[in-house]
Amino acid sequence: MLALLGFLTIAIFLYLILSKRVSVIVALILVPIVFGLFTSERGNLGSMILDGVSGVAPTGIMLAFAILFFGLMNSVGLFDPIISNVLKMVKGDPLKIVIGTAVIGMVTHLDGSGASTFLITIPALLPLYNRLGMSRLVLAGVVALSAGTMNLVPWGGPTARAASALGVEANTLFTPVIPAMIAGLIWVLFVSYLLGKKERERIGVKELQYEFNQELSEKELSIKRPKLYWFNLLLTILTLVALVKVWLPLPIVFMVAFAIALIVNYPKPKDQQDRITEQANGMVTVVTIIFAAGIFTGVLSGTGMIEAMANAMVSVIPDSTGSFMALLVAITSMPLSLVFTPDAYYFGVLPILSETASAFGVDSVEIGRAAILGQMTTGFPLSPLTASTFLLIGLAGVELGDHQRFIFKWAFGTTIVMTIVAFLTGAISIF
């Protein structure tokens, strides 16, 4: 009975968000509460909900201040010299331009936001591509590969969601897959080389001078802080080192870094508030989903639904298959981005997969690591279920179907490369 209630909870949740009957936040909060009332633990729903919200609180705080910090670094112009210098080096060589596009995409996605990455990268590079007659599919595809691979960062949506769903710290999932992520980025540069070589053969090399700052609006230029570049760079490096070394809990690292960056770059309170407001929309949306997910996972775990569903699945999965679950999750993670939204997968599917894997002796954390190798990381810029995908193709002026056909195999290849490295480095295992 409990397993049936669990599967019904998941099914109704998936139906409501995939059909867009209600918002994700509403579904995460109300669906588990309604079904929780039919269990024997309904008298403890309040404590379950509070435990669930408390469990995701560190992730929610970390995500909020990470978005604020990297959004501020974008605003002050920390990445502008990198973008400008890359564009100067590539000149009129399509091969260098495509590789430069990949590098710029990686740098601008340090904030973990697909929307901001596409809004910065595509408008800056599209005039250059048009001027040389280069393919806009290459532009959209390479930016998608770069942003997708970089989306593994702990403050990116997938890793934060996986951490919340499994009740672990984000760095527990992320740190072991850093070698895999690096391998994925190298693969993206290799793919960029291949695509750039084809573009060079198609249109040749042309003499061209391109100035990045000319593409910025007056408002964007007014909030830049070029005189504080070295301070902001040092602060960002220290922040990243502190994250990897875990000198302080991740939420504290970002809170302190953001406060320092804000007061140094914008001493006036009004300017500080303007910069916070500028990033607030994207930050609030993501953070409220994380806290709502705490209710969802808290109720499903507290009532025993997840354990019951896992036991039901264990009874039908052959023993020979169970030990390969981490590998299967990793391989299928990227293609399933076209089927499941990040919330549906991480809050609806991942808890069941991880609990089922535990029954076969596979650490549930490994299932989380396997999932983030593709599910709405390499897969998010191709998925029709994310708004940022349409922002990408809209800015680049390409059709979704053409974009998917062009870049799918390379994105899937990125996940395969990362899966192999994750296995070799012990981030995921096969028993």
Side-chain angles (χ1 to χ4, degrees), residues 358-431:
S358 297
F360 291 100
V362 180
D363 192 341
S364 61
V365 174
E366 291 190 19
I367 300 299
R369 292 173 190 154
I372 64 174
L373 295 178
Q375 171 56 225
M376 286 302 174
T377 48
T378 59
F380 96 87
L382 292 83
S383 175
L385 305 177
T386 58
S388 56
T389 298
F390 294 97
L391 178 62
L392 170 65
I393 63 174
L395 290 170
V398 299
E399 295 293 329
L400 177 61
D402 294 336
H403 170 63
Q404 290 175 328
R405 283 190 293 271
F406 180 76
I407 210 65
F408 180 90
K409 65 179 180 181
W410 301 116
F412 186 58
T414 308
T415 293
I416 297 299
V417 168
M418 291 196 294
T419 299
I420 293 172
V421 175
F423 169 69
L424 293 177
T425 56
I428 62 173
S429 58
I430 302 174
F431 297 95

Side-chain angles (χ1 to χ4, degrees), residues 69 72-73 78 228-242 253 256-262 264-265:
F69 176 75
L72 184 66
M73 289 299 102
L78 176 63
L228 293 172
Y229 175 78
W230 292 108
F231 167 80
N232 289 319
L233 178 61
L234 179 61
L235 178 61
T236 302
I237 292 173
L238 285 174
T239 301
L240 294 175
V241 172
V253 171
V256 173
F258 174 68
I260 294 172
L262 190 62
V264 171
N265 286 278

Side-chain angles (χ1 to χ4, degrees), residues 48-369:
M48 293 176 198
I49 291 171
L50 187 59
D51 288 343
V53 172
S54 299
V56 301
T59 299
I61 296 169
M62 181 271 293
L63 196 57
F65 282 91
I67 292 172
L68 289 173
F69 176 75
F70 283 107
L72 184 66
M73 289 299 102
N74 266 331
S75 296
V76 301
L78 176 63
F79 309 126
D80 290 359
I82 299 174
I83 297 173
S84 182
N85 288 328
V86 168
L87 290 174
K88 286 179 181 178
M89 288 190 298
V90 301
K91 296 183 179 179
D93 186 345
L95 172 59
K96 294 179 181 178
I97 289 172
V98 177
I99 295 176
T101 299
V103 174
I104 291 171
M106 294 171 189
V107 172
T108 55
H109 200 74
L110 272 172
D111 66 350
S113 169
S116 66
T117 299
F118 303 148
L119 285 169
I120 293 169
T121 307
I122 302 299
L125 293 172
L126 185 58
L128 178 61
Y129 273 69
N130 287 339
R131 201 172 302 175
L132 291 175
M134 295 177 62
S135 171
R136 289 175 295 178
L137 281 173
V138 172
L139 171 60
V142 171
V143 171
L145 289 176
S146 302
T149 309
M150 285 295 295
N151 212 35
L152 271 80
V153 293
W155 49 94
T159 302
R161 285 174 170 86
S164 299
L166 298 179
V168 299
E169 295 288 336
N171 62 298
T172 302
L173 296 178
F174 175 69
T175 303
V177 300
I178 289 177
M181 180 178 174
I182 293 173
L185 294 174
I186 293 172
W187 167 260
V188 170
L189 291 174
F190 172 69
V191 172
S192 301
Y193 170 81
L194 295 179
L195 296 177
K197 188 177 180 181
K198 288 182 179 179
E199 285 296 277
R200 178 198 273 177
E201 292 172 352
R202 185 174 68 86
I203 63 177
V205 179
K206 301 177 182 179
E207 287 297 324
L208 178 69
Q209 295 296 327
Y210 186 76
E211 182 57 49
F212 168 70
N213 288 332
Q214 293 178 355
E215 306 300 325
L216 300 177
S217 67
E218 290 185 10
K219 181 181 178 181
E220 289 172 327
L221 290 172
S222 68
I223 60 177
K224 301 295 182 183
R225 294 294 184 267
K227 294 181 179 180
L228 293 172
Y229 175 78
W230 292 108
F231 167 80
N232 289 319
L233 178 61
L234 179 61
L235 178 61
T236 302
I237 292 173
L238 285 174
T239 301
L240 294 175
V241 172
L243 291 171
V244 176
K245 296 291 185 180
V246 197
W247 289 342
L248 291 170
L250 267 62
I252 305 301
V253 171
F254 278 118
M255 292 174 74
V256 173
F258 174 68
I260 294 172
L262 190 62
I263 196 170
V264 171
N265 286 278
Y266 304 98
K268 296 180 181 179
K270 184 181 183 305
D271 291 338
Q272 294 173 8
Q273 189 58 47
D274 288 343
R275 299 289 73 75
I276 294 173
T277 303
E278 188 178 67
Q279 305 296 328
N281 185 45
M283 181 267 286
V284 169
T285 301
V286 174
V287 172
T288 50
I289 288 176
I290 294 299
F291 281 108
I295 296 177
F296 190 86
T297 55
V299 172
L300 264 65
S301 298
T303 57
M305 289 186 195
I306 289 181
E307 184 178 357
M309 287 186 289
N311 289 336
M313 291 183 67
V314 168
S315 65
V316 298
I317 295 177
D319 292 341
S320 58
T321 305
S323 60
F324 291 92
M325 280 200 66
L327 179 62
L328 293 174
V329 169
I331 292 174
T332 59
S333 59
M334 184 268 162
L336 287 179
S337 296
L338 305 179
V339 179
F340 292 106
T341 65
D343 303 298
Y345 185 88
Y346 285 108
F347 302 134
V349 178
L350 182 61
I352 302 175
L353 292 175
S354 63
E355 190 71 21
T356 304
S358 297
F360 291 100
V362 180
D363 192 341
S364 61
V365 174
E366 291 190 19
I367 300 299
R369 292 173 190 154

